[in-house]
Amino acid sequence: KSDLKLSDLSKELDIPPYLLSQLLNDNLNKGFSRFINEYRVKHAEKLFATRPQLTLEAIGQESGFKSNSTFYGAFKQINGSTPASFKKQLG
């Protein structure tokens, strides 16, 4: 879900948004955006391995990123390489 918000997840978990934010910050030392983007990048990595025919843009979209620039930036920040480099390493 590319438009997932802290309030959406807090509603699903049945806890107030401020508490979810505090839990993420205090226990994982990360904000909501970083937390969600890590899951999205992990999903993208799986797609690279299992569906190599997909374009980089399609993988970003299927992983929940709204734009290519957001996907590329988050992927590099979390993975340490660009999506293209990661795909190339897989062969």
Side-chain angles (χ1 to χ4, degrees), residues 46-56 59 87 90-91:
K46 289 178 188 173
L47 290 176
F48 279 122
T50 59
R51 299 178 63 196
Q53 73 279 10
L54 292 177
T55 64
L56 297 177
I59 288 175
K87 185 175 184 176
L90 292 176

Side-chain angles (χ1 to χ4, degrees), residues 2 7-8 26 37 48 50 59 76 82 85:
S2 64
S7 58
D8 298 331
D26 292 349
N37 283 342
F48 279 122
T50 59
I59 288 175
K76 183 161 184 155
T82 65
S85 295

